[in-house]
Amino acid sequence: MCEREECDKAKRLSPEELRLIDSWWRAANYLSVGQIYLLDNPLLRESLELKHVKPRLLGIGAPRRA
C-alpha cells in the first residue's frame, strides 16, 4: 500500500490529460445536442438558421414553439 501523499500524486491527471478529456467531453456534448435539435448543417458550414432546427421535439417535456 502506498503512502497517502504518493497515492494522491498517482491519482492526479496531467494538464494535457485534463485538456484531452475536456476536448472529448465538449465534442461529445456538441454531437448530442446536434442530434437532438438539428435537421441539417451539423458542422455549421453556413450560418445557423431556423430551417436547420427541428420544428418540434417529440417526447416527454419537449419544449413547444408558438
Side-chain angles (χ1 to χ4, degrees):
M1 198 147 165
C2 62
E3 295 291 324
R4 175 152 178 95
E5 188 174 315
E6 290 173 8
C7 288
D8 286 345
K9 286 182 182 178
K11 293 178 186 177
R12 292 183 192 152
L13 297 174
S14 72
E16 179 63 12
E17 289 171 319
L18 290 172
R19 187 190 68 74
L20 290 171
I21 290 171
D22 182 62
S23 295
W24 180 88
W25 181 260
R26 289 171 183 264
N29 285 334
Y30 178 86
L31 291 171
S32 296
V33 168
Q35 288 177 334
I36 293 169
Y37 292 103
L38 296 180
L39 281 172
D40 195 10
N41 193 25
L43 299 178
L44 300 178
R45 291 195 169 133
E46 56 184 275
S47 294
L48 190 61
E49 297 178 20
L50 193 55
K51 67 181 181 181
H52 299 134
V53 180
K54 291 179 183 176
R56 181 174 168 202
L57 295 173
L58 299 176
I60 298 171
R64 295 184 182 172
R65 291 189 186 189

